[in-house]
């Protein structure tokens, strides 16, 4: 049995969900709700949504540490 082709049920795993399922309030921070949970696109949206607040927090902490 050859394992180089993906089964059909996994092929559509990374596609955007329909608007009726995703909701109408998907802003930049809620963009991940448009994708199936734990898909590659969902994970990348979650990482990007946490990256900016953590970067801002790190800069603030470094500034405070520099002042002290």
């Amino acid at each position: 049995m050859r394992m180089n082709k993906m089964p059909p049920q996994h092929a559509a795993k990374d596609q955007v969900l329909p608007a009726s399922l995703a909701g109408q309030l998907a802003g930049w921070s809620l963009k991940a709700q448009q994708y199936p949970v734990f898909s590659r696109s969902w994970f990348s949206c979650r990482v990007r949504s946490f990256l900016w607040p953590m970067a801002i927090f790190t800069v603030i902490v470094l500034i405070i540490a520099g002042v002290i």
Side-chain angles (χ1 to χ4, degrees):
M1 183 168 148
R2 293 181 68 178
M3 298 296 285
N4 60 355
K5 283 203 164 188
M6 200 181 296
Q9 68 265 23
H10 296 296
K13 199 174 197 178
D14 226 17
Q15 292 181 357
V16 177
L17 294 174
S20 61
L21 292 176
Q24 300 297 322
L25 300 175
W28 70 269
S29 64
L30 301 175
K31 187 177 180 182
Q33 289 182 354
Q34 296 177 356
Y35 297 98
V37 178
F38 302 119
S39 66
R40 185 177 302 246
S41 300
W42 176 85
F43 182 74
S44 66
C45 288
R46 288 294 178 198
V47 167
R48 282 184 270 148
S49 70
F50 286 109
L51 187 64
W52 282 110
M54 290 306 293
I56 292 170
F57 175 74
T58 303
V59 168
I60 291 171
V61 168
L62 288 175
I63 291 172
I64 292 171
V67 169
I68 291 177

